[in-house]
């Protein structure tokens, strides 16, 4: 465990924002975490994983506990399925690669999502037609107040689109220390109909894809499409795709017949936030060193040494622009830390 006073968080968030914290500690075991949570100084600490889904709007007045709990192992298996447990500090993509190396299927579409395992259930990470909730078995969590361990089932987590109980009723109540996934050992159910996974596999010359091929295709697409946070500060999609009542999308379609929209169920449609942002004139538009990416309108970018405040101010400008043009309120997907 390392402990320092007044630490810059610049290297601990993918926006590269130079915010600071008065107290920083890294924990590498559940026991060490339980000990820290007992200390008054860490009672209201921010729990940090890879920092790829946070925006530090200003310097923090509270401490930070960085979760670095390691370990991946199979804890149970049958002929067809394996339950894999991963420590909250494991890099998510390393877990995906480990599963592929062990021929365990279910998370190959989630390749290259930045961040650590512990944060995956917080927003129910998803990509290319798969969400964490599709393979989630349970999560081991520590109650921040009592220090007690509790197992959370999928039902307890109340997963939704980029959402879970950990962002709502249980916000800041628990720390995830391990996530357990139910993965296939054979007859993997490949999902290749989303985005251009199928086309990419064809371009790769793959006729009968396996889980490793799907992962390679997803990595190829993501590398092509998304700005690399190591080169350009960002946190992926800054906003959620809004879900609107069908009456509302019908109203908008009269005015904007080309508006893309996807049926969620009989009552709601999902509208791509990137399209709304582009139509409102923000795609590729830079204000100083901040702007929405020129290829991915949904990605807020730090083009230099911008502060969290200026990034958030730009995000609010985009929200106002979209609201004014379409009457739709965008909601940040990224966690604002202020
Ligand atoms: C380039 C890029 C592309 C991305 N693409 C996708 C994508 O395709 N799909 C997708 O879903 N997301 C995507 N994201 C967002 C991000 O990768 C995920 O949200 C990821 O799960 C965040 O992990 P993290 O460890 O970095 O979390 P952090 O940013 O460190 O934390 C996020 C939130 O979770 C809380 N938290 C973190 N760890 C724990 C824990 N152990 N227990 C309790 N709370 C915790 C934090 O307090 C914070 O509120 C992308 C981000 C980037 C930069």
């Amino acid at each position: 465990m390392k402990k320092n006073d007044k630490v810059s968080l610049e290297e601990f968030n993918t926006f590269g924002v130079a915010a600071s914290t008065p107290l920083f500690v890294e924990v590498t075991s559940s026991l060490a975490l339980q000990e820290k949570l007992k200390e008054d100084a860490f009672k209201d600490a921010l729990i940090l994983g890879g920092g790829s889904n946070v925006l530090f709007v200003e310097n923090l007045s509270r401490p930070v506990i960085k979760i670095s709990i390691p370990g991946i192992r199979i804890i149970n298996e049958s002929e067809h399925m394996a339950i894999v447990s991963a420590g909250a500090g494991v890099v998510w993509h390393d877990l995906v690669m480990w599963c592929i190396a062990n021929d365990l299927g279910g998370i190959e579409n989630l390749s290259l999502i930045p961040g650590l395992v512990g944060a995956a259930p917080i927003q129910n990470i998803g990509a290319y037609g798969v969400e964490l909730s599709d393979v989630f078995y349970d999560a081991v969590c520590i109650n921040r107040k009592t220090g007690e361990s509790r197992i959370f089932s999928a039902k307890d987590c109340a997963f939704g689109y980029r959402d879970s109980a950990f962002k709502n009723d249980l916000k800041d109540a628990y720390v995830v220390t391990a996530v357990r996934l139910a993965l296939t050992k054979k007859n993997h159910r490949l999902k290749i109909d989303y985005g251009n996974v199928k086309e990419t596999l064809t371009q790769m010359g793959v006729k009968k894809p396996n889980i490793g091929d799907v992962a390679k295709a997803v990595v190829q697409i993501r590398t092509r499409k998304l700005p690399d946070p190591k080169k350009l500060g960002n946190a992926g999609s800054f906003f959620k795709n809004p879900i609107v009542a069908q009456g509302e999308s019908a109203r908008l379609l009269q005015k904007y017949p080309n508006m893309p929209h996807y049926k969620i169920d009989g009552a709601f449609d999902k509208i791509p936030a990137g399209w709304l942002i582009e139509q409102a004139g923000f795609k590729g538009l830079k204000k100083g060193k901040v702007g929405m990416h020129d290829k991915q309108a949904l990605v807020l970018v730090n083009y230099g040494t911008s502060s969290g405040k200026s990034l958030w101010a730009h995000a609010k400008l985009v929200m106002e622009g979209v609201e004014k043009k379409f009457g739709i309120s965008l909601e940040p997907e990224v966690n604002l830390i202020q």
Side-chain angles (χ1 to χ4, degrees):
M1 202 191 311
K2 292 176 233 159
K3 182 178 170 183
N4 306 304
D5 285 338
K6 193 85 174 166
V7 168
S8 163
L9 294 169
E10 191 169 349
E11 297 207 341
F12 297 105
N13 72 104
T14 57
F15 267 123
V17 164
S20 69
T21 172
L23 205 52
F24 180 92
V25 72
E26 187 178 354
V27 293
T28 54
S29 71
S30 300
L31 205 62
L33 172 66
Q34 280 164 316
E35 288 305 313
K36 275 295 137 198
L37 291 172
K38 275 187 206 156
E39 290 180 29
D40 277 347
F42 286 97
K43 281 267 180 284
D44 67 339
L46 171 76
I47 303 298
L48 192 63
S52 65
N53 201 26
V54 288
L55 174 58
F56 297 125
V57 179
E58 47 208 24
N59 286 335
L60 273 67
S61 54
R62 56 179 171 149
V64 169
I65 299 180
K66 173 149 171 60
I67 305 295
S68 297
I69 302 170
I72 309 176
R73 66 198 171 100
I74 294 175
I75 55 165
N76 205 349
E77 59 189 312
S78 64
E79 191 191 339
H80 294 276
M81 302 293 292
I83 308 296
V84 172
S85 174
V90 171
V91 171
W92 174 263
H93 183 65
D94 291 352
L95 172 63
V96 177
M97 291 296 106
W98 187 93
C99 291
I100 284 163
N102 287 279
D103 199 20
L104 296 172
I107 54 171
E108 54 281 356
N109 293 43
L110 305 181
S111 295
L112 218 59
I113 295 183
L116 309 184
V117 164
I122 308 300
Q123 70 149 11
N124 185 21
I125 57 168
Y128 298 97
V130 174
E131 287 186 327
L132 179 81
S133 53
D134 297 332
V135 290
F136 183 86
Y137 186 71
D138 62 22
V140 185
C141 301
I142 304 281
N143 183 314
R144 292 187 61 159
K145 277 208 180 110
T146 64
E148 280 165 11
S149 183
R150 178 180 156 188
I151 307 284
F152 275 77
S153 67
K155 193 163 170 247
D156 297 330
C157 294
F159 289 124
Y161 162 60
R162 300 294 171 276
D163 203 18
S164 74
F166 301 111
K167 285 184 112 176
N168 299 292
D169 303 359
L170 300 178
K171 194 169 165 57
D172 292 333
Y174 286 89
V175 183
V176 179
T177 57
V179 175
R180 304 193 289 211
L181 307 175
L183 302 172
T184 50
K185 284 171 71 176
K186 45 171 89 164
N187 304 327
H188 303 307
R189 292 183 289 269
L190 300 187
K191 286 199 181 171
I192 58 170
D193 289 328
Y194 198 96
N196 40 358
V197 177
K198 205 184 258 171
E199 291 77 355
T200 307
L201 285 165
T202 308
Q203 281 160 19
M204 285 160 56
V206 177
K207 289 204 177 82
K208 279 192 178 167
N210 58 30
I211 53 173
D213 297 321
V214 174
K216 272 187 203 143
V218 169
V219 167
Q220 228 186 75
I221 300 168
R222 292 184 69 102
T223 312
R224 221 171 30 225
K225 268 179 59 178
L226 287 166
D228 178 355
K230 287 193 189 109
K231 296 182 187 142
L232 216 50
N234 76 89
S237 304
F238 192 83
F239 299 105
K240 291 183 186 182
N241 291 312
I243 292 170
V244 302
Q246 275 181 1
E248 177 66 1
S249 62
R251 177 189 70 78
L252 286 165
L253 278 165
Q254 279 185 348
K255 203 165 170 196
Y256 307 101
N258 297 328
M259 181 183 78
H261 58 291
Y262 306 95
K263 270 195 181 31
I264 298 283
D265 54 30
F268 293 97
D269 284 349
K270 190 190 273 185
I271 302 177
W275 184 86
L276 298 169
I277 293 167
E278 181 173 1
Q279 298 301 308
F282 289 98
K283 185 176 180 179
L285 182 79
K286 276 194 207 171
K287 285 229 159 192
K289 297 276 185 213
V290 180
M292 303 312 286
H293 194 255
D294 56 352
K295 293 198 186 77
Q296 290 297 325
L298 198 45
V299 177
L300 178 67
V301 176
N302 179 2
Y303 287 102
T305 51
S306 308
S307 64
K309 247 188 200 134
S310 55
L311 283 157
W312 179 223
H314 192 76
K316 282 198 284 192
L317 209 67
V318 172
M319 289 160 82
E320 278 161 26
V322 168
E323 172 89 50
K324 200 165 159 204
K325 190 169 168 80
F326 297 99
I328 292 181
S329 309
L330 290 181
E331 202 185 309
E333 178 180 312
V334 169
N335 297 279
L336 302 169
I337 313 292
Q338 22 203 350

